[in-house]
Amino acid sequence: MTFRLSPGAGSPFESEALEYSLTQIRGLDEDKRYRYTPRMRFGSSLFILSALSFLTGFIQADDRPNIIFFFADDQRNTSLGCAGNPVVKTPNVDALAENGVYFTNSFVNTSVCWVSRGTQLTGRVARSFSTPTQPDRVKDVALEGIVPDQLRSAGYKVGLFGKWHLKFESDFTPEDHYDVFERIWRNPYFHELPDGTKRHETQIIGDRAVDFIDGYEGDEPFMLNLWFNAAHAEDGDKRPGIGHFPWPKVTDGMYEDQEMPLPRLNDPAIFNSQPDFLKQSINRERFFWRWDTPEKYQTNMRAYYRMISGVDHVIGRVREALEQRGLAKNTIIVYTADNGYYMGDRGFAGKWSHYEESLRVPLVIYDPRLEKGKRGRKEERFAVNVDLPATFLEWAKAEVPEHYDGHSLVPVLEDRSDIKWREDFLCEHAPLAPLISWEGVRGKRYTYARYYDQDDFEFLFDLQSDPDQLKNLAQSSEHEEVLQQMRERTDEYISEYGAPIAPIAERQGVVRKPKAKGKGKKK
């Protein structure tokens, strides 16, 4: 398998103007509507390249599907056009949803970057892949049967380009487990190229993906992981806009005249109702980094959405490359994110804690092989990030290790009614102790969380009567039975996946001392 790595293959450099527009020709086949049109690139050349691919008889020898996994950072479920967001422009993801399956109840078990990525590597939730004293690190035994190894054993070529942010008990060399691997980091987001120009990491990941596809020889199916840093803030640069949320040049000017809607849950009474430990947590500290003034909020939201639209732009480039190589009809595309994002709701920033804004993520799966009657639908059954590894392996007809904690989404995608699907799942967060260290269960009607380093402070919400989680029922005498059931269900999951977290004095690397009162606030 060879890869051509010529600079700019698949797209011009950032310094060359790109026209960010979506071809809106309704008469085209449904799969043709996603294309962005960079100047001097598309048009008649698309027809010529497609014809050449046909004439040269390009055929993928193995009929198992290729898989492309787009993995965004810090994006909650509402930040997509197909989710009903009237502001953010994500036409490529929207097209995938229009012709695929959009999961309206997609969650993560642990809402933080490296733990969520550890789940994608191991097929396990944090409680399963870690230890009680190192609850955010992948233990050595959990590296048996990891996703790339299982895929390669089944004859897949596996690549990963982008963010690699995981913590391990011992040294782990990802290059030994992927056929092609390149860690592409932020800080800064703009990387200097050999010709002296600078290019955003989102577009560099897109370049690598197009090069991978252009160099594909068709002898074996592939899985390509594109793990973005966007739309994570640049924490070390708090300048509003291009400093804190640096966007790629391809989205320059987007949303410039758009008045950004304020957070729906921004009533000060909502923040004031929080317990003191959450009021003093990093959720509040970082609120003052990005959302605490009207001007800062508007500037940062525009920049944040530009970052999301930049990822969407890469999806369009990759889909075009698949078409040009004749691979589009046998390539499954998955789009999701590693955790949710508060964006000022409840007076919070970031993720980490137990509310819906933190746990919910987008999930869109486009499988061109799925019969058309089952495509273009919204799926309400739960999907959790730990389900994706088993799903990837089932598509690849690879062995799914028995120790995987998730369930393949294939029967849900096929809209089968003869399956018994989950009614709840474990959710937790062990880093950032003692303020944001908690465990609980999210069910269809009730959600429960207990903060074990805060004298087991408990939350219980009835999502049926209180979908915004504004009324904590943990002290309600009418809900004592439900509360006890949720406590027991949490304990059942902990026993199934591992063991209770060790006392805080015995934990390593997950304790974060609270800032002194008033730190982080605007002076």
Side-chain angles (χ1 to χ4, degrees):
M1 189 176 190
T2 59
F3 300 90
R4 297 193 298 275
L5 298 174
S6 55
S11 70
F13 284 119
E14 288 285 353
S15 56
E16 299 178 36
L18 289 174
E19 181 180 50
Y20 190 94
S21 62
L22 180 68
T23 303
Q24 298 286 352
I25 304 176
R26 296 302 177 186
L28 291 179
D29 180 77
E30 61 186 8
D31 292 331
K32 298 285 200 287
R33 296 181 191 162
Y34 63 85
R35 292 194 200 95
Y36 292 92
T37 49
R39 297 192 198 105
M40 304 172 62
R41 178 156 180 243
F42 300 155
S44 61
S45 61
L46 178 62
F47 171 79
I48 294 169
L49 288 169
S50 299
L52 286 173
S53 294
F54 174 78
L55 292 172
T56 54
F58 180 86
I59 298 175
Q60 183 174 320
D62 194 322
D63 64 357
R64 290 178 296 170
N66 305 307
I67 305 165
I68 298 184
F69 180 24
F70 292 98
F71 200 18
D73 197 310
D74 282 1
Q75 183 183 6
R76 89 173 185 227
N77 63 316
T78 57
S79 299
L80 290 173
C82 60
N85 189 309
V87 177
V88 68
K89 294 178 174 61
T90 54
N92 283 307
V93 178
D94 298 347
L96 294 174
E98 181 182 352
N99 301 294
V101 179
Y102 167 58
F103 287 81
T104 59
N105 287 300
S106 175
F107 298 85
V108 294
N109 294 100
T110 298
S111 185
V112 72
C113 307
W114 65 89
V115 175
S116 188
R117 291 163 196 275
T119 290
Q120 295 309 321
L121 179 69
T122 65
R124 300 173 182 240
V125 299
R127 187 72 61 139
S128 175
F129 73 58
S130 66
T131 65
T133 58
Q134 292 184 311
D136 68 338
R137 295 177 184 272
V138 179
K139 60 188 177 185
D140 293 342
V141 69
L143 295 171
E144 297 174 5
I146 58 176
V147 172
D149 289 354
Q150 295 300 105
L151 288 169
R152 294 176 80 192
S153 294
Y156 268 66
K157 294 294 184 183
V158 186
L160 189 150
F161 301 114
K163 181 171 181 174
W164 182 260
H165 183 197
L166 295 93
K167 299 180 180 182
F168 297 94
E169 183 179 21
S170 304
D171 289 339
F172 179 81
T173 305
E175 290 84 353
D176 294 339
H177 301 270
Y178 294 89
D179 296 284
V180 183
F181 177 89
E182 182 180 353
R183 182 187 286 104
I184 303 172
W185 190 237
R186 58 180 177 85
N187 193 26
Y189 266 99
F190 283 91
H191 296 237
E192 186 168 338
L193 301 177
D195 66 354
T197 62
K198 291 186 176 181
R199 191 153 173 80
H200 196 278
E201 68 87 26
T202 296
Q203 291 295 332
I204 293 174
I205 292 171
D207 297 341
R208 299 296 186 269
V210 171
D211 289 339
F212 182 101
I213 294 166
D214 285 349
Y216 175 66
E217 295 182 341
D219 50 346
E220 295 156 311
F222 65 81
M223 178 173 178
L224 182 57
N225 296 272
L226 304 177
W227 291 12
F228 297 91
N229 292 278
H232 198 294
E234 195 68 277
D235 294 336
D237 188 342
K238 299 180 184 62
R239 292 174 299 149
I242 195 63
H244 203 45
F245 290 105
W247 63 85
K249 292 182 180 179
V250 71
T251 61
D252 274 351
M254 291 185 71
Y255 312 110
E256 192 62 41
D257 299 321
Q258 173 71 51
E259 182 73 15
M260 291 292 162
L262 295 176
R264 193 172 61 84
L265 302 177
N266 70 338
D267 185 337
I270 298 175
F271 172 76
N272 291 332
S273 70
Q274 303 300 319
D276 286 345
F277 62 87
L278 287 182
K279 290 179 181 178
Q280 298 165 11
S281 73
I282 191 173
N283 281 137
R284 185 59 170 176
E285 176 190 329
R286 294 198 177 182
F287 175 82
F288 294 99
W289 289 15
R290 54 190 74 130
W291 311 126
D292 62 318
T293 70
E295 298 78 15
K296 193 186 295 184
Y297 176 85
Q298 292 293 324
T299 300
N300 280 332
M301 279 301 301
R302 293 186 185 107
Y304 174 75
Y305 277 173
R306 287 175 192 137
M307 295 182 84
I308 290 175
S309 292
V311 172
D312 187 82
H313 173 265
V314 168
I315 295 172
R317 292 178 54 202
V318 171
R319 292 197 72 187
E320 184 206 353
L322 291 170
E323 275 217 357
Q324 291 179 354
R325 292 303 314 277
L327 297 169
K329 293 187 181 302
N330 195 39
T331 299
I332 297 171
I333 298 175
V334 177
Y335 181 87
T336 191
D338 57 2
N339 49 249
Y341 213 47
Y342 278 107
M343 296 187 291
D345 276 309
R346 304 181 194 274
F348 287 161
K351 51 269 187 178
W352 310 296
S353 44
H354 65 279
Y355 288 109
E356 295 282 281
E357 296 82 18
S358 173
L359 296 175
R360 283 185 175 268
V361 292
L363 177 60
V364 176
I365 298 179
Y366 169 72
D367 184 347
R369 308 166 310 154
L370 194 65
E371 59 182 87
K372 288 198 173 183
K374 295 179 179 179
R375 293 159 58 181
R377 76 177 200 273
K378 294 182 177 180
E379 175 57 61
E380 295 183 354
R381 281 172 280 192
F382 280 150
V384 187
N385 61 338
V386 73
D387 294 330
L388 288 176
T391 306
F392 297 146
L393 297 187
E394 181 168 349
W395 282 331
K397 298 179 181 178
E399 180 183 355
V400 181
E402 291 184 3
H403 62 254
Y404 274 25
D405 296 325
H407 307 287
S408 170
L409 293 168
V410 169
V412 178
L413 290 164
E414 294 174 349
D415 201 19
R416 286 169 45 187
S417 59
D418 61 337
I419 59 169
K420 184 178 180 180
W421 199 245
R422 67 161 54 85
E423 300 289 322
D424 58 25
F425 59 90
L426 177 74
C427 42
E428 61 177 333
H429 186 274
L432 304 180
L435 299 186
I436 310 184
S437 41
W438 63 275
E439 58 200 8
V441 167
R442 206 295 192 175
K444 285 188 173 181
R445 178 170 179 177
Y446 293 99
T447 184
Y448 167 77
R450 66 182 174 219
Y451 282 71
Y452 45 81
D453 290 321
Q454 297 295 325
D455 297 323
D456 282 343
F457 188 99
E458 294 175 302
F459 291 90
L460 178 68
F461 298 105
D462 182 347
L463 299 172
Q464 183 173 295
S465 62
D466 179 26
D468 289 332
Q469 300 171 291
L470 299 178
K471 186 177 181 180
N472 185 3
L473 302 174
Q475 302 299 319
S476 167
S477 58
E478 296 179 9
H479 294 83
E480 287 180 357
E481 184 177 350
V482 174
L483 179 64
Q484 185 60 30
Q485 290 172 352
M486 298 299 277
R487 288 169 175 164
E488 292 174 359
R489 186 64 175 138
T490 301
D491 293 339
E492 288 173 5
Y493 271 124
I494 290 170
S495 296
E496 177 184 348
Y497 292 142
I501 301 297
I504 193 168
E506 299 175 17
R507 284 177 244 160
Q508 303 172 27
V510 294
V511 177
R512 182 182 191 270
K513 293 182 179 180
K515 295 282 187 179
K517 189 174 182 180
K519 289 284 186 177
K521 293 187 178 183
K522 184 182 176 185
K523 300 297 184 183

